[in-house]
């Protein structure tokens, strides 16, 4: 029972306990996740290729969308392949270092994505409300700086949470009731009250920053829609809505699932509900984002058609 000792250094591996009751369900889970993963690879891959090779799309909006697709691919590639491998080979184990790497990479991509969604709202705000200043505020240098800030904030968030979580003494076994190494599940294994409170404090601080970004996104969209409704031509209004609504849909999906996962009361918590909620916030956005962005956007559709043909 080495795993039960009072220090996290004694844990050599964690057990991921989802989808493991019957062989049929394991294989069903494997094929389902494989389909979802391939859809995410295809959708985001097409967007990345289309934006990279079509010079018409070398604008700030598409540059940020390219970064978003890369982060989407990073986040889903961190969680699904290991889970699929476990189901296929009928195992539950993930090593301590792999688990730490998974937590870090997942938080890195999610943190970067959230900051990037805020930057994309700012891009739409300037494009519609201050079109004359667009080139100066969002020139190539400005865009690169903002992208670096997004990736940097994701890196910093991930580093803080990972270093803090894996320095806690973990003595409540090594079973995680999830299909990947999810931060709250690891914190449940901690037996240090002060360490646990420090981790929760860090989560609250991150949530505060996320909420601040969300308020800025909402405020910028209120201004955007007020301005759009004042545009006299129907075509102008339609074009403005076509570039803003997909972004708003992606932000809403990303936030509503994440907030529900973090704030759902314990009274309605059950392993199966936890699992569904986690799939909603970790697996669904990377698959759905490419669809949302390309549905209303003719320029992107044309570029993707070129890539496919």
């Amino acid at each position: 029972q080495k795993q039960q000792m009072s220090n996290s250094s004694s844990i050599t591996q964690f057990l991921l306990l989802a989808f493991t009751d019957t062989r049929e369900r394991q294989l069903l889970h494997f094929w389902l996740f494989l389909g979802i993963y391939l859809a995410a690879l295809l959708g985001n891959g097409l967007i990345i290729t289309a934006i990279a090779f079509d010079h018409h799309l070398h604008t700030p909006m598409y540059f940020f969308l390219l970064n978003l697709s890369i982060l989407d691919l990073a986040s889903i590639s961190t969680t699904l392949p290991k889970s699929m491998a476990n189901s296929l080979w009928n195992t539950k184990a993930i090593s301590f270092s792999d688990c730490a790497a998974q937590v870090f990479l997942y938080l890195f991509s999610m943190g970067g994505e959230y900051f990037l969604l805020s930057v994309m709202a700012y891009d739409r705000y300037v494009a519609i409300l201050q079109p004359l200043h667009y080139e100066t505020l969002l020139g190539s240098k400005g865009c690169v700086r903002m992208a670096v800030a997004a990736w940097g904030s994701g890196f910093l968030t991930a580093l803080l949470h990972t270093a803090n979580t894996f320095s806690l003494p973990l003595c409540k076994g090594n079973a995680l009731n999830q299909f990947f190494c999810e931060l709250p599940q690891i914190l449940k294994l901690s037996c240090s009250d002060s360490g646990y409170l420090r981790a929760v404090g860090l989560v609250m601080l991150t949530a505060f920053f996320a909420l601040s970004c969300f308020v800025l996104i909402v405020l910028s969209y209120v201004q955007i829609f007020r301005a759009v409704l004042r545009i006299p031509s129907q075509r102008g209004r339609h074009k403005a809505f076509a570039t803003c609504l997909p972004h708003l849909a992606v932000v809403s999906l990303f936030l509503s699932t994440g907030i529900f996962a973090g704030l759902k009361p314990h009274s309605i918590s059950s392993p199966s509900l936890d699992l569904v909620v986690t799939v909603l916030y970790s697996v669904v956005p990377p698959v759905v984002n490419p669809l949302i962005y390309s549905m209303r956007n003719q320029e992107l559709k044309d570029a993707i058609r070129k890539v496919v043909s």
Side-chain angles (χ1 to χ4, degrees), residues 3-289:
Q3 258 91 9
Q4 298 296 339
M5 284 166 65
S6 69
N7 198 343
S8 56
S9 62
S10 62
I11 292 183
T12 55
Q13 60 176 26
F14 292 95
L15 301 177
L16 302 170
L17 293 187
F19 310 116
T20 50
D21 44 359
T22 65
R23 193 69 195 124
E24 286 78 23
R25 278 185 64 174
Q26 282 180 335
L27 290 173
L28 177 69
H29 154 241
F30 169 78
W31 288 111
L32 185 68
F33 268 17
L34 181 65
I36 289 170
Y37 186 54
L38 292 176
L41 285 182
L42 178 69
N44 289 293
L46 279 174
I47 283 186
I48 290 167
T49 313
I51 293 171
F53 290 105
D54 192 327
H55 66 268
H56 295 113
L57 302 184
H58 291 179
T59 64
M61 183 172 93
Y62 293 110
F63 171 71
F64 294 134
L65 183 54
L66 173 91
N67 277 271
L68 188 74
S69 286
I70 292 169
L71 286 168
D72 271 337
L73 278 184
S75 77
I76 202 164
S77 298
T78 301
T79 55
L80 290 200
K82 178 62 183 169
S83 181
M84 290 181 332
N86 277 7
S87 283
L88 194 59
W89 309 124
N90 190 17
T91 173
K92 303 174 182 179
I94 181 168
S95 72
F96 187 86
S97 56
D98 281 358
C99 189
Q102 208 176 50
V103 168
F104 176 80
L105 290 169
Y106 182 71
L107 289 175
F108 175 32
S109 49
M110 280 308 212
E113 195 166 319
Y114 192 71
F115 194 89
L116 201 59
L117 288 170
S118 310
V119 169
M120 288 167 86
Y122 174 70
D123 167 70
R124 293 298 80 212
Y125 175 84
V126 177
I128 289 168
L129 275 95
Q130 299 178 322
L132 299 176
H133 298 286
Y134 191 71
E135 287 299 321
T136 48
L137 289 172
L138 285 142
S140 51
K141 272 187 185 168
C143 287
V144 170
R145 275 195 206 110
M146 285 178 192
V148 168
W151 288 76
S153 66
F155 181 83
L156 199 62
T157 304
L159 193 65
L160 281 171
H161 282 288
T162 310
N164 187 52
T165 303
F166 288 93
S167 64
L168 292 175
L170 307 174
C171 60
K172 295 178 183 172
N174 64 340
L176 305 173
N177 200 23
Q178 203 47 272
F179 67 92
F180 71 101
C181 286
E182 194 194 27
L183 197 67
Q185 293 289 334
I186 298 165
L187 289 177
K188 282 180 187 172
L189 306 179
S190 166
C191 47
S192 154
D193 288 343
S194 61
Y196 181 78
L197 286 173
R198 191 174 68 228
V200 170
L202 202 53
V203 170
M204 299 292 263
L205 186 66
T206 309
F208 173 73
F209 280 117
L211 197 62
S212 308
C213 286
F214 176 61
V215 170
L216 288 174
I217 291 172
V218 170
L219 288 175
S220 55
Y221 269 104
V222 168
Q223 299 288 332
I224 286 168
F225 287 136
R226 279 169 66 183
V228 167
L229 292 171
R230 286 200 295 268
I231 295 174
S233 78
Q234 181 111 27
R235 192 158 172 266
R237 273 206 303 271
H238 182 266
K239 193 179 178 198
F241 276 127
T243 60
C244 291
L245 287 176
H247 180 246
L248 201 57
V250 167
V251 172
S252 307
L253 176 72
F254 187 81
L255 275 171
S256 53
T257 51
I259 287 168
F260 183 66
L263 298 180
K264 67 177 185 307
H266 283 296
S267 55
I268 61 159
S269 200
S270 70
S272 52
L273 179 70
D274 288 356
L275 206 58
V276 169
V277 170
T278 306
V279 168
L280 274 178
Y281 83 78
S282 65
V283 175
V284 172
V287 183
V288 177
N289 287 357

